[in-house]
Every structure is written in C-alpha cells, then in structure tokens.
Amino acid sequence: MPPRRPRRRAPDEAKRARARAIVELLERAMPDVRIALEFRDDVELLVSVILSAQSTDVGVNRVTPALFARYPDAGAYAAARPEELWPYIRSLGLFRNKARAIVAAMQVIAREHGGRVPRTREALEALPGVGRKTAGVVLVHLGAAHAFPVDTHVGRVARRLDLTREADPSKVERDLMALLPEERWGRAHQLLVWHGRRVCKALAPACSRCPVDALCPKRGVPRAIRR
C-alpha cells in the first residue's frame, strides 16, 4: 500500500493577516485600477480575453474596435470562418489559433447558450479555447462568480511576497484563495496584476516606491535592487 501523502496545512492566521494587509495597502495606493481591456458586453469581454493571451492589452484594444464592428454578437462569429477574422487580429500573437478558438467558442455559445456567454466556470471551461485563467477573468468581470485568476504578474508578485512558493498557476491560485476572503478574490487579482505592471516588474522591481515594501520578503529579488 503506497504511503499517504501528507495533508496540505492551512495557512496560519498571521499569514492571512499579512495577505489582507497587503491587499489593503495596494487598494489604498491604486483605488482606481480596473481591467485594461475595452469591451461593452459579455461577448466582447470573452473575445478580448481570448485575444489577450501572449499579447498586450494595448495591442488587443487596438484591433478590437474594427473586429467588434464586423462581428457584433455571438451569431456573427459563429457564422464566420476562422480565416475571416485574420485580417482584424493579424498583429496579435497566435492569431490563427485565436481565430479558430473564438469561432468555435461562439458556435457553442450561439447553439447552447442563446448567444450569451455562460456564467458558470464549468460551462466556460467547456468552450473551445477557454482555460481556467480565461474563465476566471470572465467570471470576475461579469460579476458572475468569485475567482482568483493567475497570470504571470499575479504569480510573480505572489511569490516575491511569499504568499505562495508554487510555480504552477492552479497551485498559486489555490494558495491565494486560502489566504483571502472569497469576496476579495477578484479585486485582489486586479490589484496584483497592476502592481506587477507598474511597480513589481519582472526585471526591475521598483522596491523603493513599493507600497507594500515593509511587508515584502522580496523572495527572488536580487539584493542589488532591493532598495
């Protein structure tokens, strides 16, 4: 009989308190942060999030006005061939795969969900091209469910803050969800994203102007740039 794996210990109250304090300080420093993608409805949100994989939000926002004008709803995408989307999104990485995923996802949405983006994680993740992070972002910004999506910024900042020691996004997500109240997950996600973009950057974290510097052990940050 194989030995039992030890149970993962729940975070102690001191670690939870530090996580809450970090989020409160980030909220105070960046009260106006919001998703950078520009969209007007649930279909535009899902399309934007799919397009944002391995692309910048600025780049996505540059191409979506013309795309959204040409394809105003799920039915319009569902009736298109993937290659018809290429001229609109060619400047983005993996544009062929993204076009294929968008058309396939919208065919399911038009056929099975009445043209509306589903509001459950299970139904979202069943759509072509929609993984856990994409589903989480959509759920948060539709106000449909609590989620804590983990992108490269969230993972990097969380590890530097020693809120997790995991590299796998799903494990990082699990650790962060255990530290914060469910109703704070979506907001904390947004704050960590923007903190990673503005201050805690990958190559040159600006520790000298970091609002959570006093609470940060700076795991993985070279000593030369810690101050």
Side-chain angles (χ1 to χ4, degrees):
M1 185 181 223
R4 288 186 180 179
R5 294 179 63 182
R7 287 186 179 179
R8 185 175 182 83
R9 292 172 56 187
D12 59 32
E13 187 51 41
K15 191 168 186 177
R16 287 197 186 95
R18 188 169 70 89
R20 290 194 299 269
I22 286 168
V23 171
E24 287 168 10
L25 288 169
L26 291 176
E27 183 74 77
R28 211 173 300 162
M30 301 180 292
D32 58 343
V33 298
R34 56 179 292 279
I35 187 170
L37 295 171
E38 296 170 359
F39 58 92
R40 295 167 298 185
D41 57 35
D42 56 346
V43 169
E44 289 187 0
L45 170 61
L46 178 58
V47 170
S48 294
V49 177
I50 291 174
L51 291 176
S52 70
Q54 298 188 39
S55 299
T56 66
D57 291 347
V58 171
V60 173
N61 291 339
R62 191 178 296 124
V63 305
T64 49
L67 180 70
F68 293 162
R70 174 62 182 83
Y71 301 99
D73 53 36
Y77 286 105
R81 298 190 308 276
E83 55 268 28
E84 293 172 357
L85 275 62
W86 292 358
Y88 298 93
I89 63 173
R90 192 180 297 275
S91 61
L92 303 177
L94 305 175
F95 70 92
R96 291 182 178 84
N97 291 340
K98 291 173 181 179
R100 188 161 50 247
I102 289 168
V103 169
M106 293 303 165
Q107 288 173 345
V108 176
I109 289 170
R111 184 175 65 248
E112 300 180 12
H113 300 285
R116 295 191 70 212
V117 174
R119 264 63 173 174
T120 68
R121 180 178 288 282
E122 181 181 21
L124 278 167
E125 291 189 19
L127 297 174
V130 177
R132 184 168 183 85
K133 189 198 83 171
T134 296
V137 172
V138 171
L139 290 170
V140 166
H141 293 289
L142 288 181
H146 297 300
F148 207 137
V150 173
D151 67 359
T152 55
H153 299 294
V154 172
R156 179 179 70 254
V157 173
R159 283 186 289 274
R160 285 176 175 170
L161 287 164
D162 202 22
L163 299 179
T164 184
R165 299 201 172 185
E166 301 289 353
D168 180 84
S170 63
K171 294 179 180 179
V172 174
E173 181 183 15
R174 175 199 62 198
D175 288 350
L176 293 175
M177 289 191 300
L179 289 171
L180 293 165
E182 189 174 347
E183 64 273 12
R184 296 294 286 160
W185 291 350
R187 186 58 179 166
H189 151 79
Q190 198 70 77
L191 290 164
L192 291 177
V193 167
W194 279 101
H195 186 56
R197 288 176 175 174
R198 293 177 174 176
V199 178
C200 196
K201 299 180 180 182
L203 298 179
C207 298
S208 62
R209 58 183 179 89
C210 175
V212 296
D213 181 68
L215 296 175
C216 182
K218 302 177 179 64
R219 289 192 68 248
V221 177
R223 290 187 178 276
I225 57 175
R226 285 188 176 194
R227 290 190 296 225

